[in-house]
Amino acid sequence: MTEAAERYQLSSDAMCKRLGDEIVILDLASGTYFGLNDVGGRVWELIGNEICETSAICAALAEEYDVGQNELEADVTALLADLVARKLIFTAA
Amino acid sequence: MLAAQPQLPLNTGPYDRWISPDGRTVASFHRESSGLRLRFYEQADFLLDLVREAADCIPVPGIAVETLEALHANAIVPLLANYRGGHALHGSAVAIGEAIVAFTGLSRSGKSTLAGAFAAAGYPYLSEDALLIEPCAQGHELMPARPGLRLFADSAEHLGTAMHAELPHRDTPGPLAALLLLDTQEPPKPVLERLEPATALVGLLQHAFILDVEDRARLQAHFGRIGELAETVPCYRLDYRRNYAQLPDVIALVAGEFA
């Protein structure tokens, strides 16, 4: 049996605002601000639009950016892990 | 205004506080069955009715009316303005020709002194403690506050107490040309540099009047409004040594940029 892919959702404590190429996130739980660059911001927006699995996020980004598949998957996986560690996103049940 | 009363201990703990740079609690925010109570220590309590969006003042005995008027104008009015969906920031503003330049920053970062120094140099001030900003066809405009500069003794002495009452004040709204966020690194020479909107947003949020930090719907809307402000109004970082001898150079730098 294949293990179900992890799905992510944005923390309800996180407020965000896109400003040009960046997204600014305010985490109400910690009172801390975070900035995401253009690609990181797209990942954030995709999760917000319920494109929540790593593979789906990578597929969407591959259509928008000229980047190799391996590099893209590594970068997205690292970003998702960082966002989870900072409690800005959670793995959905 | 209600009858004066001593400030007795409250039954509820604060859900928010305003803290001065030296660590004192300047004001505390409390929930009550009828609304919110803002306690300005040794000055007054304000009871806020959020349905009427109005406030009643309970002064402490013997407090000057001018102090109460300043609290109302510089705290209650901007808090309610922000609650209603407006833009209200801690700050001062001056007119450089037709351009309005606003300074925002933490308490004791030099906002009022800058307004006074610019006014003494011939640039009328519009406000000295709170910025009320409204959208207009051309972008945003800054609303004038009533005349009056509340300066610390050293600033008042520098500007000259005789001149204090005579400083030019502009009493009409004007187009907001720039928001200058006061930094306190105090470099050897004054620095004025443009901020990216994302950096400006984070900076401006620290200086906004927030009535209820637990009202998430309003916080989200507020976050969006401040972001829009950071995106549409040019924002700068202004830093300089807090030394009165530097003020002419600061005025020349800012006036030269926005004249």
Side-chain angles (χ1 to χ4, degrees):
Chain A
M1 193 167 74
T2 306
E3 190 175 331
E6 281 192 313
R7 296 171 57 82
Y8 297 94
Q9 66 182 41
L10 305 183
S11 164
S12 60
D13 286 327
M15 295 182 179
C16 69
K17 172 76 178 172
R18 176 172 277 282
L19 291 168
D21 289 341
E22 285 188 67
I23 277 190
V24 178
I25 301 166
L26 167 59
D27 179 21
L28 292 174
S30 64
T32 309
Y33 301 98
F34 300 90
L36 291 176
N37 65 13
D38 185 26
V39 180
R42 278 299 292 145
V43 171
W44 184 268
E45 289 171 338
L46 288 166
I47 297 171
N49 290 331
E50 299 190 354
I51 298 172
C52 313
E53 296 176 7
T54 306
S55 59
I57 292 168
C58 289
L61 292 177
E63 291 185 6
E64 299 175 26
Y65 298 92
D66 183 17
V67 60
Q69 185 69 20
N70 291 342
E71 183 185 353
L72 179 61
E73 284 184 7
D75 286 351
V76 168
T77 300
L79 175 62
L80 292 171
D82 193 25
L83 293 172
V84 168
R86 295 175 189 276
K87 299 183 178 176
L88 295 172
I89 63 173
F90 294 94
T91 51
Chain B
M1 189 182 308
L2 304 175
Q5 291 178 20
Q7 288 180 322
L8 300 175
L10 299 172
N11 292 329
T12 60
Y15 66 87
D16 196 11
R17 296 173 194 266
W18 283 352
I19 308 290
S20 69
D22 60 6
R24 285 181 306 111
T25 298
V26 177
S28 57
F29 293 56
H30 304 257
R31 293 188 197 286
E32 296 190 343
S33 57
S34 58
L36 304 178
R37 179 187 292 258
L38 273 62
R39 169 157 290 184
F40 294 88
Y41 287 89
E42 299 174 9
Q43 295 179 313
D45 284 11
F46 285 87
L47 307 179
L48 271 63
D49 180 333
L50 298 181
V51 177
R52 289 191 300 127
E53 296 183 356
D56 284 323
C57 175
I58 306 174
V60 300
I63 193 80
V65 171
E66 292 77 15
T67 301
L68 300 175
E69 289 175 348
L71 281 178
H72 186 264
N74 296 328
I76 303 303
V77 169
L79 281 167
L80 286 174
N82 207 12
Y83 184 80
R84 294 186 190 109
H87 299 93
L89 299 169
H90 293 273
S92 63
V94 298
I96 299 174
E98 278 307 302
I100 307 301
V101 175
F103 308 103
T104 184
L106 299 174
S107 178
R108 297 230 66 177
S109 62
K111 303 183 293 289
S112 298
T113 300
L114 274 180
F118 271 82
Y123 302 102
Y125 71 98
L126 285 85
S127 67
E128 56 103 19
D129 200 45
L131 302 171
L132 294 177
I133 300 165
E134 294 195 354
C136 66
Q138 293 76 33
H140 291 87
E141 63 183 5
L142 194 119
M143 312 310 290
R146 61 195 187 125
L149 276 172
R150 293 175 311 128
L151 298 167
F152 288 100
D154 50 349
S155 295
E157 184 180 351
H158 171 75
L159 292 171
T161 50
M163 199 163 57
H164 183 188
E166 300 159 10
L167 293 173
H169 173 260
R170 174 170 165 156
D171 61 3
T172 54
L176 182 58
L179 276 161
L180 277 52
L181 285 74
L182 301 183
D183 201 354
T184 54
Q185 303 297 310
E186 303 203 21
K189 289 186 176 180
V191 170
L192 179 66
E193 61 185 19
R194 186 79 183 260
L195 294 174
E196 292 295 323
T199 307
L201 166 59
V202 173
L204 291 175
L205 283 167
Q206 299 175 51
H207 308 308
F209 284 87
I210 306 288
L211 185 55
D212 189 348
V213 293
E214 295 171 354
D215 183 341
R216 294 208 170 193
R218 279 193 167 77
L219 273 183
Q220 179 76 64
H222 168 76
F223 191 64
R225 288 197 305 277
I226 296 292
E228 189 252 348
L229 197 63
E231 206 166 27
T232 55
V233 177
C235 294
Y236 294 77
R237 180 177 82 90
L238 175 63
D239 200 358
Y240 56 96
R241 280 200 178 149
R242 273 33 174 203
N243 175 335
Y244 294 116
Q246 284 253 323
L247 286 174
D249 289 343
V250 176
I251 293 168
L253 179 65
V254 173
E257 182 73 20
F258 300 107

